[in-house]
Amino acid sequence: IETIIVNKIGKNCATLYWKNKIDPCHSVVFIKDTCLGTPIIHQDSTYSYSSEFGLGSVSNGWYCIYFGNDTSSSITGLSEGKTYRIAIFNFVLDSMYIEPSFLNFSTEKIFFEDTLKAYGDEPFLLQPSTVSGINNFVFSIDNETVANIENDSLKLLNAGTINIKIQHYGNEIYLPDTTEYTILVNKALLSIIS
């Protein structure tokens, strides 16, 4: 394999492209939710494949996601925020050509630290993070009587519950993503001075 590229990565999907050093040849592609290791395959075996993770032939915990002459495959059925390892084997005239090529990638996930807040607290900066490293977010809330957003900060107006929608528009590798978090804004604590 000359090149392997994974892009269009989302929460549960990705698209894999590769360029073979020798044409024509056919490729067998395996995937596992790991960052190390190699599938054990046999030259005289036929593998059933499925682009949905977990449904193709299994070889020591690795799933076959492609078997054929093309140089791309979509992958579905992945789990959010996990690391996966791709192994691509090339065959020329039914003989395996050199060792497999590997690529690791992680599916997207937006993380947001759960916060316990009370009415009367100072506005706080919304600081989610992502597997992809994308840090340009758009925020919206469903209950502007409890809070509002000003310059990526959440200003608390009353006690109650709000759902914050966090989204980013993706980049050349990762697809756009959206997630929601619920924040319960408690009533302010009363202090009695005598």
Side-chain angles (χ1 to χ4, degrees):
I1 303 291
E2 215 170 275
T3 309
I4 305 174
I5 298 169
V6 176
N7 68 13
K8 299 180 185 170
I9 302 170
K11 290 180 181 181
N12 57 13
C13 63
T15 302
L16 173 66
Y17 302 92
W18 63 94
K19 183 175 181 185
N20 297 321
K21 285 185 181 177
I22 294 180
D23 265 339
C25 71
H26 63 271
S27 303
V28 180
V29 182
F30 285 87
I31 186 170
K32 186 174 184 179
D33 55 349
T34 186
C35 57
L36 298 170
T38 305
I40 299 168
I41 69 163
H42 305 284
Q43 289 187 167
D44 54 352
S45 295
T46 301
Y47 296 96
S48 63
Y49 68 92
S50 174
S51 61
E52 185 170 343
F53 178 72
L55 296 184
S57 294
V58 181
S59 173
N60 65 310
W62 292 74
Y63 294 95
C64 185
I65 58 167
Y66 180 77
F67 183 81
N69 296 322
D70 287 335
T71 56
S72 67
S73 178
S74 295
I75 310 164
T76 61
L78 304 175
S79 295
E80 178 180 30
K82 276 196 140 184
T83 297
Y84 292 89
R85 184 169 173 88
I86 299 284
I88 303 176
F89 296 83
N90 276 347
F91 288 83
V92 178
L93 301 174
D94 295 328
S95 295
M96 187 167 42
Y97 174 74
I98 66 172
E99 291 297 312
S101 296
F102 299 98
L103 179 71
N104 295 348
F105 72 95
S106 296
T107 51
E108 181 63 311
K109 184 172 185 174
I110 297 175
F111 300 93
F112 185 72
E113 186 177 316
D114 291 334
T115 53
L116 183 60
K117 293 294 176 182
Y119 171 64
D121 287 353
E122 291 294 316
F124 64 98
L125 189 62
L126 298 170
Q127 296 180 305
S129 61
T130 63
V131 168
S132 63
I134 294 171
N135 60 6
N136 188 13
F137 299 98
V138 176
F139 303 101
S140 61
I141 57 174
D142 68 343
N143 190 345
E144 292 186 354
T145 62
V146 174
N148 63 30
I149 297 173
E150 297 174 3
N151 299 321
D152 294 343
S153 290
L154 190 67
K155 182 178 180 183
L156 305 176
L157 305 173
N158 286 299
T161 302
I162 54 171
N163 292 308
I164 300 176
K165 182 176 178 181
I166 304 168
Q167 69 184 89
H168 69 66
Y169 294 108
N171 60 20
E172 62 278 354
I173 297 172
Y174 283 86
L175 296 172
D177 194 16
T178 301
T179 194
E180 285 191 21
Y181 285 91
T182 300
I183 294 180
L184 176 63
V185 180
N186 294 314
K187 293 180 181 178
L189 293 174
L190 295 176
S191 55
I192 300 172
I193 302 172
S194 59

